[in-house]
Amino acid sequence: NAGVTQTPKFRILKIGQSMTLQCTQDMNHNYMYWYRQDPGMGLKLIYYSVGAGITDKGEVPNGYNVSRSTTEDFPLRLELAAPSQTSVYFCASSYWGSSIQETQYFGPGTRLLVL
Amino acid sequence: AQKITQTQPGMFVQEKEAVTLDCTYDTSDPSYGLFWYKQPSSGEMIFLIYQGSYDQQNATEGRYSLNFQKARKSANLVISASQLGDSAMYFCAMREGTTTQGGSEKLVFGKGTKLTVNP
């Protein structure tokens, strides 16, 4: 049981380049999330998904796109990288059922530097 | 208005002593959950403890306990017998509502407190 995995671990992008951050979970969780963490700050929600084919915007969605074609995968797409997108990106998943107690399980993070 | 406030950017504690990390929250929803996560220097987010708004007792998980004061809207994390490995960032987070009440599936995080345990 690998939990939540993310690739790559670290990436340097030039301004204007595009890339996809990969996220996979093997816990059969229905909900998946993408967060960004800027230095010295907490996590801010970019996008989330309540199930395959359904996504919605979080607090800071501009400059990003997501898709969810399967329960397991939730890739995050950066189309035109900007220095403001330099951050650490975390993917998370949870089972959202009838209880508020379910926690989110986080991947190890992807460190992105845009120069 | 911030929903989760952690007023201590940094805290220091001697090894083997107890330490309290503060967290206050803001919600008008009667049903909510509070979470604490640990983020060591390696970067991963580790779930520590959960407290529900209707829980009658304070949550405990090993050396971690949550001092839940509902009227004050505070959910402070207490770490007993601190260890060097406890040095990390600690984040408080809140989820509002339940699925049956149309609640939020999203967590809102505070800015965190950096804990340093001195030998």
Side-chain angles (χ1 to χ4, degrees):
Chain A
N1 208 353
V4 181
T5 57
Q6 291 182 238
T7 57
K9 290 185 179 179
F10 176 68
R11 182 78 180 267
I12 298 175
L13 277 184
K14 293 182 179 179
I15 295 172
Q17 285 186 322
S18 301
M19 77 164 294
T20 299
L21 282 66
Q22 301 291 346
C23 175
T24 300
Q25 56 93 6
D26 63 359
M27 297 174 281
N28 202 31
H29 285 163
N30 49 355
Y31 280 66
M32 295 187 74
Y33 311 81
W34 274 105
Y35 294 91
R36 60 178 287 172
Q37 184 181 26
D38 298 328
M41 302 294 286
L43 278 68
K44 292 187 177 181
L45 184 65
I46 305 172
Y47 272 97
Y48 67 100
S49 169
V50 305
I54 307 170
T55 62
D56 205 351
K57 296 178 181 179
E59 183 182 358
V60 288
N62 292 341
Y64 308 95
N65 278 300
V66 294
S67 61
R68 188 152 177 219
S69 56
T70 68
T71 300
E72 296 79 18
D73 300 308
F74 190 40
L76 177 72
R77 178 82 177 162
L78 282 72
E79 290 294 346
L80 292 170
S84 61
Q85 293 178 305
T86 293
S87 191
V88 179
Y89 292 84
F90 288 97
C91 179
S93 71
S94 68
Y95 179 73
W96 185 237
S98 59
S99 169
I100 200 172
Q101 188 169 350
E102 289 96 350
T103 186
Q104 293 183 12
Y105 296 86
F106 285 81
T110 293
R111 189 174 298 272
L112 177 66
L113 179 61
V114 182
L115 299 174
Chain B
Q2 286 202 28
K3 292 215 169 191
I4 296 288
T5 303
Q6 294 180 253
T7 57
Q8 307 155 313
M11 288 284 287
F12 294 87
V13 65
Q14 287 298 120
E15 195 177 8
K16 300 182 184 177
E17 292 185 350
V19 63
T20 298
L21 306 183
D22 294 342
C23 173
T24 57
Y25 58 92
D26 181 26
T27 181
S28 57
D29 197 319
S31 178
Y32 53 90
L34 298 155
F35 301 78
W36 277 92
Y37 289 85
K38 173 184 178 181
Q39 186 179 42
S41 58
S42 52
E44 72 268 32
M45 295 288 286
I46 302 167
F47 167 69
L48 294 177
I49 196 167
Y50 165 83
Q51 179 81 45
S53 59
Y54 294 121
D55 293 344
Q56 295 296 312
Q57 293 186 326
N58 287 342
T60 60
E61 288 287 346
R63 294 187 298 110
Y64 303 108
S65 61
L66 208 151
N67 183 2
F68 182 48
Q69 299 186 45
K70 198 170 181 177
R72 295 185 177 184
K73 293 189 175 179
S74 74
N76 299 337
L77 177 70
V78 180
I79 305 175
S80 63
S82 296
Q83 302 172 356
L84 296 179
D86 293 335
S87 293
M89 284 290 290
Y90 289 81
F91 292 96
C92 180
M94 178 174 67
R95 169 186 273 162
E96 295 170 291
T98 66
T99 53
T100 55
Q101 298 172 345
S104 171
E105 59 287 312
K106 300 185 286 289
L107 283 178
V108 177
F109 286 83
K111 293 184 178 181
T113 295
K114 183 175 182 179
L115 176 66
T116 302
V117 180
N118 294 317

